Amino acid sequence: MCEANAYILRGDKEELVLESVDRIVPQEDGLLLEDIFGKKKILRARIKEMALVDHKILLEEME
């Protein structure tokens, strides 16, 4: 499988936002994340790092 878990950086801690992310779609004011089951989340965030071999997407909040 190619999906990854998305985490948001809060301070120096990583908080799990959504598991099994299949799609990330840029939006005007953030990102739309969708998992393999169709669950969607919109976040005011940007991608900080993607480590796809580790199945990990690290996001940071936008101000």
Side-chain angles (χ1 to χ4, degrees):
M1 295 291 219
C2 298
E3 68 275 353
N5 293 334
Y7 299 85
I8 194 154
L9 193 57
R10 297 223 162 100
D12 55 348
K13 294 188 179 188
E14 296 176 6
E15 180 181 311
L16 181 64
V17 175
L18 189 62
E19 294 183 82
S20 303
V21 174
D22 180 52
R23 293 180 49 204
I24 300 175
V25 181
Q27 302 288 301
E28 187 171 314
D29 60 344
L31 299 170
L32 167 69
L33 281 66
E34 184 175 354
D35 71 10
I36 59 174
F37 306 107
K39 181 178 178 182
K40 297 178 182 179
K41 283 195 174 187
I42 297 176
L43 300 171
R44 286 193 37 83
R46 62 179 155 256
I47 297 171
K48 179 175 176 79
E49 179 181 347
M50 293 178 65
L52 298 180
V53 170
D54 296 329
H55 304 278
K56 184 176 183 179
I57 302 163
L58 186 58
L59 307 171
E60 59 184 355
E61 291 181 299
M62 292 173 36
E63 297 177 6

